[in-house]
Amino acid sequence: MSKTILYFHGFASSSNSNKAKVLKNYISKNYKNAEIIIPDLDNNFKLAVSQIHNLIESARHPIVFIGSSLGGYYASYFSSKLKTKSILINPAIPPLKDFEMYLG
């Protein structure tokens, strides 16, 4: 059965981060039945959530979520909502704690 893996990066990071590249390479080499999608999420929370909704709607199911930092929060939230699995790497929970210095 093929599945989609959605990896969400942390705040102000991107799909071009070292962590994202290593993960994509590893999944591609070792899990031929999985497609990994690593979007560049917007730093605006509302826009990022909208992006994630669109990805979920267009993805093959089942979906597995992986997230790091703020992406870990998103992965946790959406996996709970869809009752699926997630892998969290140092998740930012609660998500807005200590973000004041970055958000202005």
Side-chain angles (χ1 to χ4, degrees):
M1 172 189 303
S2 63
K3 66 179 73 174
T4 300
I5 299 170
L6 293 176
Y7 170 75
F8 304 136
H9 59 74
F11 182 76
S13 189
S14 76
S15 62
N16 200 35
S17 71
N18 189 52
K19 195 180 308 176
K21 289 178 185 178
V22 168
L23 182 62
K24 185 169 190 160
N25 186 42
Y26 180 82
I27 296 295
S28 298
K29 284 184 178 179
N30 294 290
Y31 297 92
K32 301 298 181 198
N33 66 338
E35 173 189 21
I36 183 162
I37 298 171
I38 304 174
D40 285 315
L41 295 176
D42 199 286
N43 286 332
N44 177 294
F45 298 115
K46 289 181 181 179
L47 293 176
V49 168
S50 179
Q51 285 178 280
I52 295 168
H53 277 291
N54 291 336
L55 286 168
I56 291 169
E57 287 178 11
S58 64
R60 287 185 310 212
H61 290 261
I63 298 174
V64 174
F65 295 94
I66 302 175
S68 174
S69 191
L70 181 58
Y73 171 77
Y74 292 140
S76 174
Y77 175 80
F78 283 99
S79 68
S80 174
K81 196 170 176 178
L82 295 176
K83 297 182 179 18
T84 188
K85 295 181 180 183
S86 64
I87 299 169
L88 311 178
I89 304 164
N90 194 27
I93 299 175
L96 297 179
K97 184 176 182 335
D98 299 325
F99 271 59
E100 298 86 3
M101 62 194 255
Y102 299 108
L103 299 175

